[in-house]
Amino acid sequence: MPVGALYVHVPFCASKCSYCAFYSHAPDGGTVNRYVDALVHELEMIAGDCRPRTIFFGGGTPSILTLAQWEKVLEAMHRLKLDGADEWTVECNPATVSLEKARLLRSAGVNRISMGAQTFDEGLLDRLGRVHSTAMIHKSFDTLREAGFNNVNLDLMFAIPTQTLEQFEQSLSAAAQLRPEHLSVYEVIYEQDTPMYEQLRAGKIDANEDLACEMYDTLLERAAAAGWHQYEIANFARHEGDAPLGLPSRACRHNINYWRGGEFHGVGPSATGYTGGVRTRNIANTAKYCERIERGERPMEETEQLGALARAGETAAFGLRMNEGWAFDEFARVTGFDLNQEWAADMGRLVEQNMAVIQSGRFRLTPSGMRFADAAAMEFLR
Ligand code: SF4
């Protein structure tokens, strides 16, 4: 069976945000054109084994590609029969959205945009090193609507150094006024080798865990009040239509595939993939990535065949990020393992601590367990 999910990494950003540990760098000279040619070749390499129902162009900043570069990528996607997905997302930075580009993407079959707003406070945007203003978020959002996008995600962050609860509430209100179909809200993480991590280590900024908890509680309240249903620790979506609410209808299918342990191809520098029980990672260096592909070689720097139990443990851990948790029968179907045997003691401990419940053939975290899902998930790794 061909793989049904495709991730494409576009490794360019106008400048580096102070908290970012993703592989991305400034575009220079002919690098972007060289990357586009290499990417098209890599797509040719995987096309025979890929019929994507979901596609995600992330980065980096995919919207930084010019119209001509996008045309080349989209033409290749079409020629290789990689287009036509049920859900096709492209990440955009508010500083690099134009009506022409948005229309081009929409006409090629892109039907979902994920836009990084992060905060609606100018001072905090500066602190994060974002290249856009609050006005640009509003303008780009309107542009996306004008181009026909009716499925838009906004990314926000909380626990940004110096951010007050009021500032976070204002950002949530501003996001609610735009009425995007989806909202992703992440706590700032101090990743090694980022300027923000160095500032924390040097004592120039503080991490306030109590305030972060208060912000997360506020997020849950405000998101529910604005009509977004939480379906994962950091993800909220609208639910439309009459179908009973299991997963909200605007939930991101591509990410759900990751959390449910599904296969996916990853192309572009630093992209990870998971196919046939093997996890891969492409080389995280754009020049070396291009060289490898120009020599006709696959650009992977790591491949790892996980044991079946280790993989099942990871799948359990990822799935617990979702409000639905795991149905026992679904977990057994996906992984071949029984949660009630291998992980009975771990589940029991979490239930005792009120971090999780077992209900209707399902194991899931409680709202307080969700707040510490990463710690809970560690229990399941083997
Ligand atoms: S725009 Fe996104 S990928 Fe680029 S530096 Fe900022 S956070 Fe990282």
Side-chain angles (χ1 to χ4, degrees), residues 12-13 15-17 19-20 22 24 59-61 93 118 130:
F12 305 106
C13 290
S15 70
K16 197 77 185 167
C17 301
Y19 55 89
C20 178
F22 292 118
S24 70
T61 308
N93 182 299
Q118 315 311 1
R130 302 290 296 178

Side-chain angles (χ1 to χ4, degrees), residues 6 17 25 56 63 70 72 108 141-142 151 181 207 246 248 300 372:
L6 173 64
C17 301
H25 54 93
F56 199 105
S63 54
W70 266 116
K72 210 165 186 176
F141 193 89
D142 291 346
N151 197 5
E181 286 67 30
M300 289 152 189
F372 301 101

Side-chain angles (χ1 to χ4, degrees), residues 7 9 11 22-23 268-272 280-285 289 301:
Y7 173 76
H9 193 78
F22 292 118
Y23 177 65
S270 82
T272 56
T280 58
R281 181 179 164 87
N282 276 356
I283 193 158
N285 177 310
Y289 164 85
E301 67 178 353

Side-chain angles (χ1 to χ4, degrees), residues 108-127:
V110 176
N111 54 15
R112 185 171 183 273
I113 296 289
S114 179
M115 188 159 75
Q118 315 311 1
T119 167
F120 284 76
D121 183 280
E122 296 294 343
L124 293 175
L125 283 173
D126 266 359
R127 174 168 276 281

